[in-house]
Amino acid sequence: MNFLGFFSAGLIIFIAVGSLICVFFSAGYESSFTFEDWRIIAFTFKQATLSAFVSCMLAVPISRALVRRDFILKSLLVSFLGAPFILPVLVAVLGFTAIFGRSGLVNFLLSSFELTPISIYGTSGIVLVHVFFNLPIAIRFLIYGWGAIPAERFRLTAQLGMSRWHTFRIVEIPMLINTLPSILVLVFLLCISSFGVALTMGGGPAATTIEVAIYYAFRYDFDLTKASYFASAQMILGLSAILVSFKIKSPNIYQAGLDRHLERWDCNHNLVKVTDYIIIVCTAVFIFSPIVALTLKGGLNFINLPEQVLIAAFRSVLMSLASTILAMTVSFSIAHSSVTLSARFYRSLESVGYLPISVSPLVLGTGVFICLLPFTNPNDYALEVTIIVNALMSVPFIIGILINPIRQVYSDFGRLGSNIGLSQKGFITIVLLPRLSRNIGFAAGLACAISMGDFGVIALFSAPDAFTLPMAVYSLMGAYRLDSSSSAALLLLVLTFGLFYLFDLGGRLFARN
């Protein structure tokens, strides 16, 4: 198993670092950036910064309201806050169009009152959809942050008769100062590498991001030098954000509490209660209304989908399953080897597993394209390259899910297995895998959902006879067949959540048995 772990780590290094080396060598030594190119880089930085700031600032009052209030289905609501993370980009875009588009519900209501309609294309649309995807992530992290504050702190403020403002300033603001910077960096990283949102919601050259520029440089201009420069600039932005995150320390600023039930005497005023519940309801409407709108709109034409859409759906399912098998094999071998190796090796091996998160899918696709170009036509290997890149992009998330449970199992049962003479293969089969089945099911479902909704690498290499379901949805949108595109997006939504649920359910049932 350790050999497989080293081989998997070497494969990641070869593909990720090799792609970056190909990008740098293709870029040459002299810059050919025009003013328009620098404007694209500046816009990418601007929209990512704005999206991260808005997501985090909105997450503060929302997460605070969720922590302070207990209500029916609260745990279910908090659990479903993670749904946008596995939601395909094009599904969200079509859902937003149904609500905020030119003929959407919001503009219909505005026109009914003879008010000026709104437009969600351009910077505002990109930021809005990014907030939809990243706001739940920021909320979940801040909920954990508020949960780290000992209940005794709030009990003490109540005994001292502190006002709501003083409680917030003395107890809660230090947690926000300690937690928000790392969340900002994470959301910024997700936004600069976003492709599908910028491509569909950009609305023109003024709202073009680096990822979209790479796509156009390949697909329409076949300008490898320009694509290489943009890929290098995107990588520099991402690595800079990662370096900033390394500099941000997050020590535990609170001493351990007694795990008492959290009571908030500072927020029992009726006006505060009403405000909190209004915030929670508005958040739920914002997150779930695009999904509901797409379901209602796409369901009208669901049974009349074109044959090519069904073929693309079947192809996407097969690709996502293949990508999931590859991602789980690579991730499990690296995570297992990281736990079982000596201390001087395991940190390095674990770090390699997180390497793909610093490189976007389009950057990897760019490097693979350049590497294959001297030998063959990369379009002939569109599906294979997409499977490999999607698997690599899932690896950091899977390792994050598996590595701590693997470490815990070895801590609890590793010495016992050695004492009874259990081989490593026997320990993995009899002890490790059964106890990890719940985590493995969730990780496999997440990897399958990420691959199912991918709209990055396949956009570079796709050919008409190799369309995936996301590409089919985008093609129908480009042809202004909005009813068919909504139905195809609904099919994509059903398949994505269905595959995720089946893997997750299978893991939980196996753990129960």
Side-chain angles (χ1 to χ4, degrees):
M1 179 58 71
N2 287 341
F3 170 78
L4 184 58
F6 279 110
F7 178 80
S8 300
L11 179 65
I12 292 177
I13 294 174
F14 176 76
I15 296 177
V17 178
S19 298
L20 295 179
I21 291 175
C22 289
V23 167
F24 276 120
F25 272 95
S26 298
Y29 299 98
E30 295 182 2
S31 175
S32 60
F33 272 179
T34 63
F35 174 80
E36 181 66 19
D37 298 332
W38 287 112
R39 189 199 58 76
I40 291 174
I41 296 174
F43 176 78
T44 302
F45 179 81
K46 169 189 170 183
Q47 65 84 18
T49 304
L50 185 59
S51 299
F53 180 80
V54 173
S55 298
C56 290
M57 292 303 101
L58 289 177
V60 172
I62 296 171
S63 59
R64 193 169 182 241
L66 285 169
V67 168
R68 297 196 300 191
R69 302 299 164 202
D70 288 321
F71 52 90
I72 300 175
L73 301 180
K74 174 183 175 179
S75 59
L76 185 64
L77 174 61
V78 174
S79 298
F80 272 97
L81 283 177
F85 186 74
I86 64 172
L87 190 69
V89 172
L90 294 182
V91 172
V93 168
L94 283 170
F96 267 94
T97 303
I99 298 295
F100 300 101
R102 292 188 179 94
S103 58
L105 177 62
V106 172
N107 278 330
F108 173 77
L109 295 176
L110 291 176
S111 61
S112 300
F113 293 98
E114 298 183 353
L115 298 175
T116 305
I118 61 174
S119 175
I120 60 171
Y121 297 99
T123 305
S124 59
I126 294 174
V127 172
L128 183 65
V129 179
H130 277 161
V131 170
F132 170 77
F133 280 111
N134 298 312
L135 177 61
I137 299 174
I139 292 173
R140 292 294 292 269
F141 275 102
L142 284 177
I143 287 176
Y144 296 144
W146 255 288
I149 302 177
E152 289 77 14
R153 292 294 181 100
F154 295 104
R155 179 185 296 271
L156 181 60
T157 59
Q159 291 173 343
L160 295 176
M162 289 186 180
S163 64
R164 287 192 298 271
W165 162 245
H166 284 95
T167 301
F168 178 70
R169 182 174 64 85
I170 296 174
V171 179
E172 298 174 273
I173 284 184
M175 181 277 296
L176 294 175
I177 294 175
N178 188 63
T179 306
L180 277 178
S182 59
I183 301 176
L184 278 166
V185 172
L186 173 64
V187 177
F188 178 85
L189 278 172
L190 294 174
C191 291
I192 64 170
S193 61
S194 173
F195 170 68
V197 174
L199 182 65
T200 53
M201 304 300 294
T208 300
T209 62
I210 292 176
E211 295 269 310
V212 176
I214 294 174
Y215 170 72
Y216 281 124
F218 264 108
R219 294 291 292 178
Y220 298 103
D221 301 330
F222 202 69
D223 189 345
L224 296 182
T225 301
K226 182 60 67 68
S228 300
Y229 276 120
F230 276 124
S232 302
Q234 199 271 349
M235 182 193 66
I236 291 172
L237 280 178
L239 291 178
S240 299
I242 292 175
L243 290 176
V244 170
S245 68
F246 286 161
K247 294 294 183 181
I248 298 174
K249 305 296 182 182
S250 298
N252 185 11
I253 58 175
Y254 298 109
Q255 296 178 345
L258 300 177
D259 294 331
R260 288 192 176 100
H261 175 69
L262 178 61
E263 294 187 47
R264 296 290 301 269
W265 294 273
D266 60 310
C267 55
N268 288 329
H269 192 276
N270 289 333
L271 180 61
V272 178
K273 290 181 180 180
V274 171
T275 303
D276 284 347
Y277 283 119
I278 290 176
I279 291 174
I280 293 170
V281 170
C282 291
T283 302
V285 170
F286 174 72
I287 291 177
F288 298 116
S289 59
I291 301 175
V292 174
L294 178 67
T295 302
L296 295 176
K297 185 176 181 179
L300 298 176
N301 197 40
F302 192 72
I303 61 175
N304 297 321
L305 284 170
E307 181 181 356
Q308 60 267 28
V309 172
L310 300 179
I311 296 175
F314 180 72
R315 184 181 294 115
S316 291
V317 171
L318 293 181
M319 289 177 60
S320 63
L321 293 175
S323 178
T324 300
I325 294 172
L326 179 59
M328 292 299 299
T329 302
V330 170
S331 303
F332 181 83
S333 60
I334 291 178
H336 181 270
S337 300
S338 299
V339 171
T340 56
L341 287 174
S342 60
R344 63 176 180 173
F345 285 112
Y346 82 90
R347 283 294 182 190
S348 300
L349 197 61
E350 182 181 353
S351 300
V352 171
Y354 291 103
L355 182 62
I357 202 171
S358 64
V359 186
S360 77
L362 281 188
V363 174
L364 286 177
T366 301
V368 172
F369 187 97
I370 294 172
C371 292
L372 293 178
L373 191 61
F375 308 101
T376 184
N377 181 9
N379 292 329
D380 295 339
Y381 300 91
L383 300 183
E384 291 83 355
V385 171
T386 303
I387 289 172
I388 293 173
V389 173
N390 285 344
L392 288 182
M393 299 311 296
S394 302
V395 165
F397 300 103
I398 300 174
I399 290 178
I401 294 171
L402 295 182
I403 192 165
N404 287 329
I406 292 176
R407 185 173 289 120
Q408 186 63 45
V409 171
Y410 268 95
S411 175
D412 294 341
F413 303 102
R415 182 171 297 179
L416 176 62
S418 299
N419 291 338
I420 63 176
L422 199 61
S423 65
Q424 187 180 75
K425 180 180 179 181
F427 185 86
I428 293 173
T429 305
I430 299 173
V431 181
L432 185 60
L433 290 180
R435 299 188 70 85
L436 287 181
S437 57
R438 189 185 302 271
N439 304 86
I440 290 174
F442 175 73
L446 181 62
C448 197
I450 292 175
S451 178
M452 190 71 194
D454 171 69
F455 185 59
V457 179
I458 192 63
L460 284 178
F461 297 96
S462 64
D465 58 343
F467 264 15
T468 59
L469 186 52
M471 280 300 300
V473 174
Y474 180 71
S475 178
L476 292 171
M477 291 173 62
Y480 296 99
R481 297 172 60 183
L482 298 183
D483 291 338
S484 296
S485 64
S486 297
S487 299
L490 178 60
L491 176 61
L492 178 59
L493 175 65
V494 171
L495 289 175
T496 301
F497 277 96
L499 289 171
F500 173 80
Y501 178 76
L502 287 176
F503 276 108
D504 188 39
L505 179 63
R508 286 188 278 115
L509 289 177
F510 190 86
R512 187 179 304 168
N513 294 332

